[in-house]
Structures are given as structure tokens and as C-alpha cells.
């Protein structure tokens, strides 16, 4: 998959693109990331990418011309999505990451800044995406989250595919608690069932823990999961 990230601050991505699982995936060419700076597409001597909003108001807006020029300089793959990282967009969740992974070969990600972008940029955009109901100084951090979440789902990124299936949100429930050695740490003991070797009992325990943990921490998720199970059983 190809990612084209349109950002005024490409240096922000230096560490994430060379570290950990994401760095290894890029080294193996499972995905390709191309950083594009709209400032490189300005035509004035000051390389101006922002201006005051019409009608007045606080702050500056990113101008449309450099963003359009940056996006239009990119190759167009057959299955492409142009995403604007925006607090007004669709919140990132696991179903969205799965959809993007399965359906697209190219994601063009525009990182807004200042007070946002000129609204005419939306004529380029096929989807707006948000990290959540809060405001950051720019779209770089949300775009990193999107990039990480999509790439880790691509075949070959994670060693054991099964590990992707047994995670929070993948089946609509939070993950079960997990433990490693030592079996007794400062008096906190690993549950006996996990030491029993009885895989059927372990599976039942883990599922029950998922139910209880989701009920405690995210009752909204549990309610949605129960509704979907009831709808499925009625088919």
C-alpha cells in the first residue's frame, strides 16, 4: 500500500517511519510512505501557505493552492482515498482501519494546521477522519495513528496473524488480561486456569474476562456487541 502524507512538518515522521514494527514493514516494502510538503508548491518568494480568513476571525487558514498542487503532483493509483485529518471527520476505529486496509491501494493523507484548511480543499477529499473529539495543533499525530493502524493490518507486518484477531475491538469486546513470567510477582499471582494447560477452560475464562472487562470499562461497547449478537441470531 502507498501512503502519500501531505504535511508542513515532514520531520515529525522521521522516528515513526524508522522504528519498531512500522519501520520493519516499510523496510520490507509492505508499505511505502511518501512525504509531501505543500510549501514546496508555493509560487511566491515567501513560500506562504496560510492567510487570514475572509470575514474575520482568529488565526490563519491553510491556503488551497499549495495543497491542490501537492496532491495533484502525486500519481493516482486505481483504488485511492484522499483523506483530510480533521476534528470534524469520522473517528478512527478498528472497522475503519480494516476497511482502508482491504479496499485501497493508496491513501493520500492531508494534515491540516493553524485554524484548519480553506474549505475548498474538500473538493479534493473523499473522506474526513478524526482521532477523536479534541483539538491538536495539527494533523500529523492523527495521521501517524492512521498510518500505524493500517500498516499493522497489512499481510506480513505482524508475524502471527492470529494475534491480530485476539485484540481489543476486533470482535467487538475489549481484550482479556494477559500475563507472562514470573507466575508470582510481588504477591500478584497469574490465575491458576492459565497454568492448567486446559485450553478449553482457558478459552472460556478469557471470553468471560472479555465480557466482564468490557462491561466495566466500556459498557457502550458491550451493549453494541449484545445487540449485534441478537440481530445475528434472529437471521
Amino acid at each position: 500500500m502507498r501512503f502519500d502524507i501531505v504535511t508542513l512538518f515532514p520531520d515529525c515522521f522521521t522516528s515513526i517511519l524508522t522504528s519498531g514494527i512500522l519501520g520493519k514493514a516499510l523496510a520490507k516494502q509492505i508499505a511505502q510512505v511518501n512525504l509531501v510538503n505543500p510549501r514546496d508548491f508555493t509560487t511566491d518568494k515567501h513560500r506562504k501557505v496560510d492567510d487570514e480568513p475572509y470575514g474575520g476571525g482568529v488565526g490563519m487558514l491553510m491556503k488551497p493552492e499549495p495543497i491542490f498542487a501537492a496532491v495533484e503532483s502525486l500519481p493516482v493509483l486505481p483504488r485511492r482515498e484522499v483523506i483530510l485529518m480533521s476534528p470534524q471527520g469520522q473517528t478512527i476505529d478498528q472497522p475503519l482501519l480494516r476497511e482502508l486496509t482491504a479496499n485501497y491501494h493508496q491513501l493520500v493523507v492531508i494534515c491540516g494546521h493553524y485554524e484548519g484548511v480553506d474549505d475548498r480543499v474538500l473538493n479534493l477529499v473523499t473522506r474526513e477522519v478524526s482521532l477523536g473529539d479534541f483539538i491538536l495543533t495539527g494533523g500529523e499525530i492523527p495521521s501517524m495513528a492512521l498510518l500505524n493502524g493500517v500498516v499493522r493490518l497489512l499481510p506480513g507486518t505482524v508475524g502471527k496473524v492470529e494475534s491480530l484477531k485476539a485484540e481489543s475491538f476486533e470482535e467487538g469486546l475489549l481484550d482479556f488480561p494477559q500475563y507472562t513470567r514470573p507466575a508470582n510477582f510481588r504477591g500478584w499471582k497469574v490465575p491458576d486456569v492459565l497454568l492448567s494447560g486446559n485450553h478449553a477452560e482457558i478459552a472460556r475464562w478469557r471470553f468471560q474476562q472479555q465480557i466482564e472487562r468490557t462491561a466495566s470499562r466500556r459498557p457502550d461497547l458491550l451493549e453494541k456487541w449484545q445487540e449485534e449478537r441478537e440481530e445475528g441470531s434472529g437471521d
Side-chain angles (χ1 to χ4, degrees):
M1 177 179 282
R2 176 184 171 113
F3 294 83
D4 293 289
I5 301 177
V6 180
T7 171
L8 292 173
F9 301 95
D11 289 348
C12 290
F13 294 85
T14 301
S15 178
I16 188 175
L17 296 181
T18 57
S19 303
I21 290 178
L22 182 56
K24 292 178 181 178
L26 298 181
K28 292 191 292 184
Q29 298 185 338
I30 293 171
Q32 174 188 357
V33 177
N34 176 46
L35 302 173
V36 188
N37 192 334
R39 200 176 296 279
D40 295 335
F41 295 86
T42 55
T43 56
D44 65 298
K45 65 178 181 179
H46 299 296
R47 304 179 72 197
K48 190 173 178 61
V49 294
D50 63 327
D51 212 329
E52 298 174 352
Y54 280 119
V58 178
M60 306 287 276
L61 288 177
M62 289 184 68
K63 293 163 59 67
E65 306 101 302
I67 297 176
F68 269 80
V71 173
E72 290 169 352
S73 74
L74 301 171
V76 179
L77 274 62
R79 291 159 61 186
R80 180 171 92 151
E81 189 87 322
V82 181
I83 296 171
L84 174 65
M85 303 309 301
S86 164
Q88 300 181 36
Q90 172 186 0
T91 303
I92 296 175
D93 58 14
Q94 204 61 26
L96 172 61
L97 297 177
R98 289 197 300 267
E99 177 194 347
L100 295 175
T101 303
N103 296 328
Y104 297 97
H105 293 149
Q106 180 185 22
L107 298 181
V108 179
V109 183
I110 301 171
C111 301
H113 243 276
Y114 311 116
E115 293 301 313
V117 302
D118 185 298
D119 207 62
R120 289 167 289 189
V121 170
L122 295 181
N123 290 291
L124 278 174
V125 171
T126 54
R127 189 193 302 254
E128 293 182 76
V129 172
S130 170
L131 190 57
D133 295 336
F134 51 89
I135 307 298
L136 299 175
T137 57
E140 282 73 21
I141 291 175
S143 71
M144 291 178 195
L146 182 71
L147 171 65
N148 186 287
V150 171
V151 172
R152 68 184 298 276
L153 294 178
L154 294 174
T157 299
V158 176
K160 295 183 178 180
V161 178
E162 293 79 6
S163 67
L164 295 176
K165 299 176 181 178
E167 295 179 321
S168 294
F169 309 114
E170 279 297 336
E171 300 298 332
L173 298 171
L174 298 184
D175 200 4
F176 47 79
Q178 301 193 63
Y179 303 85
T180 188
R181 294 178 178 82
N184 187 335
F185 174 67
R186 296 186 179 181
W188 295 304
K189 297 181 179 180
V190 174
D192 290 338
V193 64
L194 298 179
L195 307 176
S196 67
N198 187 325
H199 296 293
E201 284 298 321
I202 290 172
R204 280 191 286 270
W205 179 86
R206 285 175 168 171
F207 180 64
Q208 185 59 37
Q209 289 295 311
Q210 284 187 277
I211 298 290
E212 293 178 7
R213 180 167 284 193
T214 307
S216 173
R217 301 181 183 183
R218 290 292 303 275
D220 58 312
L221 284 181
L222 181 62
E223 182 178 355
K224 180 180 178 182
W225 177 80
Q226 290 172 330
E227 290 175 355
E228 290 176 351
R229 280 171 62 92
E230 290 173 0
E231 291 173 0
S233 63
D235 292 341

